[in-house]
């Protein structure tokens, strides 16, 4: 059980979140991030396991339609891993990229949404 105090409010969390990957290719792609970005990503994933996926910026952010992003930053640049939550306190990493531009490419977000729909049975 984790007890945390934020702005004088005690938060008790006895749920541990599980993290999985859409498939092995996504797992290799994500864990293949450059060292600095990967360290940031692992830190955020550990926070998600303990506190849940609703961390907010600078760690996570909603992307719309039920997809969220993990915002990993390192000296090599910026990595993003798109995820959704499913029942039984689990998140699934759907797609990961190293950002090349300020804006998230539409095709990457659309791919994450498509994969989320697949695992949620078209919902």
């Amino acid at each position: 059980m984790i007890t945390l105090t934020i702005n004088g409010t005690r938060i008790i969390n006895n749920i541990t979140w599980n993290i999985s990957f859409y498939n092995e290719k996504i797992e290799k792609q994500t864990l293949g991030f450059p060292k600095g970005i990967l360290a940031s990503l692992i830190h955020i994933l550990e926070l998600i396991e303990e506190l849940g996926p609703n961390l907010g910026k600078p760690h996570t952010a909603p992307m719309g339609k039920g997809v969220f992003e993990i915002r990993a930053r390192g000296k090599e640049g910026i990595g993003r891993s798109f995820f959704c939550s499913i029942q039984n306190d689990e998140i699934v990493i759907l797609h990961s990229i190293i950002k090349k531009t300020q804006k998230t490419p539409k095709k990457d977000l659309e791919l994450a949404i498509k994969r989320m729909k697949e695992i949620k049975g078209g919902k």
Side-chain angles (χ1 to χ4, degrees):
M1 177 169 50
I2 297 166
T3 303
L4 181 68
T5 302
I6 300 176
N7 297 329
T9 303
R10 280 186 69 203
I11 299 170
I12 298 173
N13 182 6
N14 53 5
I15 298 171
T16 300
W17 285 76
N18 295 310
I19 298 167
S20 62
F21 293 86
Y22 177 76
N23 60 29
E24 268 186 54
K25 180 182 174 188
I26 299 305
E27 183 176 8
K28 284 183 181 179
Q29 179 183 20
T30 303
L31 299 179
F33 277 177
K35 285 183 182 183
I37 298 172
L38 181 60
S40 175
L41 175 74
I42 289 170
H43 171 71
I44 296 167
L45 291 174
E46 288 170 346
L47 289 173
I48 290 171
E49 283 179 328
E50 292 179 22
L51 304 172
N54 297 325
L55 300 174
K57 288 184 179 180
H59 305 299
T60 62
M63 297 301 289
K65 299 187 180 181
V67 172
F68 298 82
E69 69 175 353
I70 296 171
R71 305 162 56 88
R73 185 180 292 265
K75 67 178 188 269
E76 307 91 345
I78 299 170
R80 295 290 186 256
S81 291
F82 302 101
F83 72 92
C84 68
S85 57
I86 57 175
Q87 45 187 297
N88 300 326
D89 304 318
E90 181 176 359
I91 72 158
V92 178
I93 296 177
L94 304 164
H95 184 56
S96 294
I97 61 170
I98 300 293
K99 285 186 75 172
K100 307 277 189 226
T101 63
Q102 189 70 11
K103 193 167 171 89
T104 299
K106 188 176 180 179
K107 68 180 177 77
D108 290 304
L109 182 56
E110 287 173 349
L111 179 59
I113 291 169
K114 176 181 176 247
R115 290 175 174 169
M116 178 197 65
K117 287 179 179 177
E118 285 176 23
I119 64 172
K120 289 190 172 188
K123 295 178 184 174

